[in-house]
């Protein structure tokens, strides 16, 4: 069995894949509560609907052996150009019925027109997903350079101070055909109240695999 180290230098996960394209991983996705310290676990790819995966939550350790070990592994594809790091895509390899399908699947955040809680899914296929940024110092994912419209009026606002937002939540919700405890994204700025009362704010972060001793 392999377990995950709590402390990891994220830069150690980065490998040069092409001239300006980088791939970080494989790594695990560590989930920690922002207001509830009892939330401390990992997410793995679970079947939401054929052929689509979701991110199901498991408290405690992340297992990295056996036939379904790939369901715990994720990758981050991003671009560096002229010393600027651009948002990338979070991906995994699709697993169906215990069989690894070597087709990359990228994270998509789908809008929910009846709620501000948006489901996070990994449809099987090579289409790029929702762009997301990774803080290589903290190891947490976020949405970058978003503008505040809470004071919108006829006056043109200043565009000098875009904000970085992390609004991942852990919620009980329908994802395809199943009722899961999974990752969601809540629309709005940090601190906005999710319409789904089960949602708890979390950090979604990168953590490397290490051998147990």
């Amino acid at each position: 069995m392999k377990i995950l180290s709590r402390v990891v230098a994220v830069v150690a996960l980065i490998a040069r894949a092409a001239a300006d394209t980088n791939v970080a991983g494989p790594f695990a996705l560590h989930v920690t509560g922002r207001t509830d310290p009892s939330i401390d676990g990992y997410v793995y790819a679970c079947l939401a609907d054929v052929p689509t995966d979701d991110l199901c939550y498991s408290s405690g350790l992340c297992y990295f052996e056996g036939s379904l070990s790939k369901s715990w592994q994720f990758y981050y594809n991003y671009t560096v150009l002229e010393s600027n790091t651009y948002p990338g895509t979070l991906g995994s390899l699709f697993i169906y019925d215990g069989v690894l399908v070597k087709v990359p699947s990228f994270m998509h955040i789908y809008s929910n027109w009846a709620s501000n809680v948006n489901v996070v899914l990994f449809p099987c296929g090579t289409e790029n997903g929702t762009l997301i940024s990774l803080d290589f110092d903290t190891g947490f994912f976020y949405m970058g350079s978003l503008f505040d419209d809470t004071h919108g009026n006829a006056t043109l606002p200043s565009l000098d101070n875009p904000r970085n937002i992390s609004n991942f939540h852990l919620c009980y919700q329908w994802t395809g055909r199943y009722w899961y405890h999974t990752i969601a994204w809540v629309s709005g700025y940090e601190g906005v109240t999710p319409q789904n009362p089960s949602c708890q704010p979390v950090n979604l972060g990168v953590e490397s695999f290490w051998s147990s001793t």
Side-chain angles (χ1 to χ4, degrees):
M1 183 183 77
K2 292 188 176 182
I3 60 175
L4 293 169
S5 170
R6 290 292 182 188
V7 180
V8 59
V10 177
V11 292
L13 299 173
I14 305 170
R16 176 69 67 177
D20 292 313
T21 301
N22 296 267
V23 179
F27 51 75
L29 289 176
H30 189 191
V31 177
T32 51
R34 303 183 71 173
T35 58
D36 183 353
S38 68
I39 298 175
D40 188 356
Y42 301 88
V43 287
Y44 60 94
C46 56
L47 184 65
D49 201 351
V50 180
T52 300
D53 280 338
D54 198 355
L55 292 178
C56 287
Y57 175 74
S58 175
S59 62
L61 297 178
C62 170
Y63 294 90
F64 192 45
E65 290 183 351
S67 61
L68 294 181
S69 63
K70 295 293 184 182
S71 64
W72 299 88
Q73 299 181 40
F74 298 88
Y75 300 83
Y76 182 62
N77 303 285
Y78 66 100
T79 300
V80 175
L81 183 61
E82 297 179 353
S83 299
N84 294 315
T85 300
Y86 291 89
T89 52
L90 181 61
S92 68
L93 295 178
F94 187 75
I95 294 176
Y96 176 67
D97 214 13
V99 178
L100 176 64
V101 181
K102 293 185 178 180
V103 176
S105 302
F106 296 101
M107 184 190 78
H108 290 251
I109 299 176
Y110 291 97
S111 297
N112 183 345
W113 306 123
S115 173
N116 65 342
V117 178
N118 307 300
V119 68
V120 174
L121 296 173
F122 286 72
C124 182
T126 58
E127 180 185 358
N128 286 335
T130 302
L131 291 178
I132 191 171
S133 296
L134 174 62
D135 185 326
F136 287 97
D137 292 323
T138 66
F140 295 147
F141 288 101
Y142 67 95
M143 293 288 189
S145 300
L146 302 179
F147 293 102
D148 185 357
D149 68 350
T150 57
H151 304 289
N153 54 46
T155 302
L156 180 67
S158 171
L159 302 180
D160 295 333
N161 298 304
R163 297 171 59 181
N164 296 333
I165 301 298
S166 178
N167 249 358
F168 288 106
H169 284 65
L170 186 62
C171 311
Y172 287 96
Q173 58 181 338
W174 285 108
T175 58
R177 295 182 295 169
Y178 302 98
W179 184 253
Y180 282 148
H181 199 200
T182 63
I183 295 296
W185 178 271
V186 174
S187 297
Y189 276 102
E190 292 178 22
V192 65
T193 300
Q195 183 168 301
N196 180 338
S198 75
C199 293
Q200 296 291 326
V202 296
N203 290 314
L204 183 66
V206 168
E207 197 164 292
S208 68
F209 292 99
W210 294 82
S211 297
S212 60
T213 57

